[in-house]
Amino acid sequence: MASARRISGPCRAWPADSAFIREVLDRIGDKWTVLTIGTLGAGGPLRYSDLQASIPGISQRMLTQTLKHLERDGLITRTPYAEVPPRVEYELTDLGRSLMDAVTAMVGWAATHHSEIAGNRAASELTGVGRVRSAVSAPTG
Amino acid sequence: MASARRISGPCRAWPADSAFIREVLDRIGDKWTVLTIGTLGAGGPLRYSDLQASIPGISQRMLTQTLKHLERDGLITRTPYAEVPPRVEYELTDLGRSLMDAVTAMVGWAATHHSEIAGNRAASELTGVGRVRSAVSAPTG
DNA sequence: CTGTATCCCTGAGGATACTG
DNA sequence: CAGTATCCTCAGGGATACAG
């Protein structure tokens, strides 16, 4: 047990214990973050209310929080205009755009394979493969 | 080609309302899923206990659930051997490997930029930019 | 060894009301 | 318009015990 890692069995070539994996997931694993980045990437500078309108279902709380996180990490810029009524515009930085590219790739993968996945899932339903919980459906003796 | 990418105000060019975006996120947004796929991708066929050992911190519940989800979607195969003691091996399918590639790209992005992000975040701490909650730190007025 | 079933707690996030 | 503050729900997921 105390011996180092068992190279022969499990392979530790992957940074499963690396903190930055977690960092990525915290970023792109949040659907609002992805949707926000995608929306900004597609639409150039957008203001708060435009973002809210463009991302169906997002709450003020989540939009604000997401924007702050993204700004904090340097993925977007926040530009307030000292006029009335108040106006604030958000825009992707270069860093943000680079993430956008990676995200787009993921979305591309999803677009390509999601029907296949759906098919597999449907098939699994029939065969009972991969059933997570022991189904409420009693076998009806 | 839809040149209708012109944007005035909110842009709906992004499938922010598409269900399959959500599907992807449900998949790759889960850290255990990513770690599991990564581990399987790096180490060939692995058994249950090897996976558990290779993914620090994962609980039996989560490992089982993750594996079932992945199997159900056709991303991995589950191969039980009728011997004693019981042995079950998990392995990526081609579909799973294709997702692995996309995930690897994301991880690559993270590896490349995470120090930059960390820097931005640290800088933001100093300037107070992007503060999510109104800081406990009273301005010592 | 390979799971399954339960309990339980934390915190993500929606709804709502208020401010500058 | 552009947020902030608060309440409250509910489900993700850890710990644990049990089964084949």
Side-chain angles (χ1 to χ4, degrees), chain A:
Chain A
M1 187 78 77
S3 56
R5 301 164 186 270
R6 301 191 36 185
I7 312 297
S8 51
C11 174
R12 49 49 163 164
W14 229 67
D17 51 354
S18 281
F20 84 80
I21 289 275
R22 217 30 231 281
E23 304 259 325
V24 208
L25 266 15
D26 284 346
R27 199 114 354 249
I28 58 96
D30 177 31
K31 74 166 177 174
W32 296 129
T33 298
V34 175
L35 292 174
T36 302
I37 288 182
T39 302
L40 281 174
L46 290 176
R47 40 201 304 190
Y48 188 88
S49 51
D50 287 339
L51 280 166
Q52 192 165 25
S54 298
I55 307 174
I58 196 170
S59 63
Q60 287 181 345
R61 175 183 170 80
M62 281 301 101
L63 179 54
T64 300
Q65 188 175 102
T66 301
L67 289 172
K68 295 218 164 188
H69 283 154
L70 290 174
E71 185 194 5
R72 196 178 58 153
D73 290 352
L75 296 170
I76 66 174
T77 56
R78 176 182 182 276
T79 312
Y81 294 86
E83 48 185 58
V84 37
R87 180 165 58 103
V88 180
E89 285 190 343
Y90 294 92
E91 188 173 17
L92 286 184
T93 61
D94 286 342
L95 183 57
R97 265 182 289 273
S98 74
L99 175 54
M100 167 90 183
D101 291 341
V103 167
T104 299
M106 286 282 353
V107 172
W109 180 89
T112 303
H113 297 289
H114 85 285
S115 62
E116 186 177 355
I117 290 179
N120 290 333
R121 191 177 300 192
S124 299
E125 280 304 311
L126 300 178
T127 61
V129 168
R131 259 237 163 299
V132 176
R133 294 194 53 93
S134 46
V136 198
S137 56
T140 311

Side-chain angles (χ1 to χ4, degrees), chain B residues 41-58:
Chain B
L46 290 176
R47 40 200 303 189
Y48 188 87
S49 51
D50 286 339
L51 280 166
Q52 194 165 23
S54 298
I55 308 173
I58 197 170

Side-chain angles (χ1 to χ4, degrees), chain B residues 22-103:
Chain B
R22 215 31 231 280
E23 305 259 326
V24 209
L25 265 16
D26 284 346
R27 201 114 350 249
I28 59 97
D30 178 31
K31 75 166 177 174
W32 297 130
T33 298
V34 175
L35 292 175
T36 301
I37 287 182
T39 302
L40 282 173
L46 290 176
R47 40 200 303 189
Y48 188 87
S49 51
D50 286 339
L51 280 166
Q52 194 165 23
S54 298
I55 308 173
I58 197 170
S59 63
Q60 287 182 343
R61 175 183 168 82
M62 281 302 101
L63 179 55
T64 299
Q65 187 176 103
T66 301
L67 290 171
K68 295 218 163 189
H69 283 154
L70 290 174
E71 184 194 6
R72 197 177 58 151
D73 290 351
L75 297 170
I76 65 173
T77 56
R78 175 182 183 276
T79 312
Y81 294 87
E83 48 186 57
V84 37
R87 179 165 58 104
V88 180
E89 285 190 344
Y90 294 92
E91 187 173 18
L92 286 185
T93 62
D94 285 343
L95 184 58
R97 266 182 288 274
S98 74
L99 175 55
M100 167 90 183
D101 290 343
V103 167

